[in-house]
Amino acid sequence: MRQGAYQTDYHVHTGRCGHAGGEMREYVLAALARGLAEIAFTDHIPLYFLPGEDPDPTIAMTRAELPDYVEEVRVLEEEFAGRIDVLLGLEADYAEGHEAALEEILRVHDWDVVLGSVHWVAGGWIDAPGSAKRHGTEGSENLWREYYRLLAKAARSGLFDVLTHFDLPKKFGHRMPADVTDAEDAAVAAARDAGVAIEVSSAGLRKAVGEEYPAPPLLRKLVGAGVPIVFSSDAHAPAEVAWGREKIEAAAHAAGAGEHLSFRKRKRRRHPF
Ligand SMILES: [Zn+2]
Ligand SMILES: [Zn+2]
């Protein structure tokens, strides 16, 4: 990391999602140790679009846990004030047809940043353990096309500040078929028109695909279209906070980006890097 640069991590999970480890305080301490100016907790929103109070304890916190999550972030924000800014964020699933329910949940708390994610595609998870086989059974092209259709709708919904892992279906190594380029372009245009930011995430480097999100040519397209970026790790353990930062910064630089965003109460600031 460059000396003096304004460093942030805008995508960090907690044990509440059922698939991350470590205490929230450890994440903040890791961020401090790495010289970050900010860390945004963005745990998974309760699965508001699936039936039941706790549809999948390995994917997200329950509705009942959400206020505790918010409170714990606020306690850490106070404890670390003056040393590192701890932000209240959320990784919110976009679920077609459930926009009003999402809006209602978002209205309850005073978020610093809301990430918009498409994980639920054509009636199932696109990225959960076991999802890889869907590319064979349902056709990779169908999944990619449907994914980008939903991502474009998520951008246009106006519910989100930042779209996450823009090319998520590649997670297990299934690259986008060339025929789907038009759908990818439509999602890029939707992000540009909506004025929503995207994340440059090191998480893909830790997955089978072995590449940051978004892929270099796609990131070039997004930056070229004027879509702003945030930096993120999608950490699911304290050791992953700011993980791969040099690589994603280099990727953003190569794509032509010269600044990244931070958020307070959903209002953006720009920082050169
Ligand atoms: Zn995600
Ligand atoms: Zn995440």
Side-chain angles (χ1 to χ4, degrees):
M1 293 180 202
R2 250 169 286 174
Q3 285 292 314
Y6 195 84
Q7 310 276 359
T8 62
D9 190 340
Y10 263 73
H11 193 153
V12 173
H13 289 278
T14 83
R16 281 193 179 80
C17 69
H19 59 278
E23 297 299 319
M24 288 172 74
R25 207 164 174 282
E26 296 175 60
Y27 286 79
V28 180
L29 290 171
L32 252 182
R34 269 150 228 176
L36 300 193
E38 302 183 10
I39 178 173
F41 282 106
T42 56
D43 216 349
H44 291 287
I45 193 170
L47 299 172
Y48 64 92
F49 54 97
L50 297 180
E53 162 57 26
D54 192 8
D56 192 340
T58 69
I59 298 274
M61 69 178 114
T62 64
R63 286 175 172 80
E65 285 176 300
L66 187 60
D68 295 343
Y69 164 69
V70 170
E71 179 57 23
E72 196 171 347
V73 175
R74 288 311 186 197
V75 166
L76 289 167
E77 179 188 1
E78 227 166 86
E79 179 187 344
F80 286 92
R83 287 190 284 164
I84 182 170
D85 290 350
V86 178
L87 307 187
L88 177 63
L90 192 67
E91 181 176 10
D93 287 84
Y94 175 73
E96 191 175 33
H98 297 268
E99 291 84 350
L102 174 55
E103 212 176 339
E104 208 167 293
I105 296 172
L106 295 180
R107 210 182 295 129
V108 178
H109 300 286
D110 205 6
W111 307 105
D112 287 310
V113 62
V114 176
L115 309 182
S117 299
V118 173
H119 303 116
W120 187 263
V121 180
W125 302 115
I126 194 73
D127 61 329
S131 297
K133 60 177 181 291
R134 294 187 66 197
H135 287 267
T137 54
E138 297 169 54
S140 208
E141 183 171 337
N142 295 333
L143 290 176
W144 272 98
R145 195 168 281 288
E146 176 64 357
Y147 171 81
Y148 273 135
R149 185 185 71 78
L150 294 169
L151 192 66
K153 279 195 89 170
R156 286 192 297 265
S157 73
L159 291 164
F160 310 111
D161 302 309
V162 181
L163 297 178
T164 59
H165 37 59
F166 205 90
D167 47 356
L168 179 62
K170 74 180 178 184
K171 177 176 177 179
F172 302 106
H174 306 84
R175 300 284 181 164
M176 186 188 80
D179 282 1
V180 185
T181 304
D182 58 330
E184 181 187 89
D185 288 345
V188 171
R192 177 197 63 209
D193 296 347
V196 68
I198 56 130
E199 66 172 7
V200 184
S201 167
S202 65
L205 293 164
R206 304 192 296 274
K207 312 296 184 199
V209 67
E211 175 184 87
E212 64 274 14
Y213 301 111
L218 173 57
L219 182 56
R220 222 165 13 248
K221 229 187 253 186
L222 285 155
V223 171
V227 177
I229 63 168
V230 303
F231 288 113
S232 74
S233 66
D234 210 340
H236 283 74
E240 290 174 354
V241 173
W243 189 93
R245 171 64 191 232
E246 292 84 354
K247 282 187 181 150
I248 55 174
E249 221 180 76
H253 199 259
E259 60 183 34
H260 65 112
L261 300 184
S262 67
F263 287 84
R264 285 295 181 293
K265 309 293 180 200
R266 311 195 67 178
K267 297 253 181 315
R268 51 179 75 180
R269 299 181 197 168
R270 295 154 53 170
H271 308 273
F273 71 91

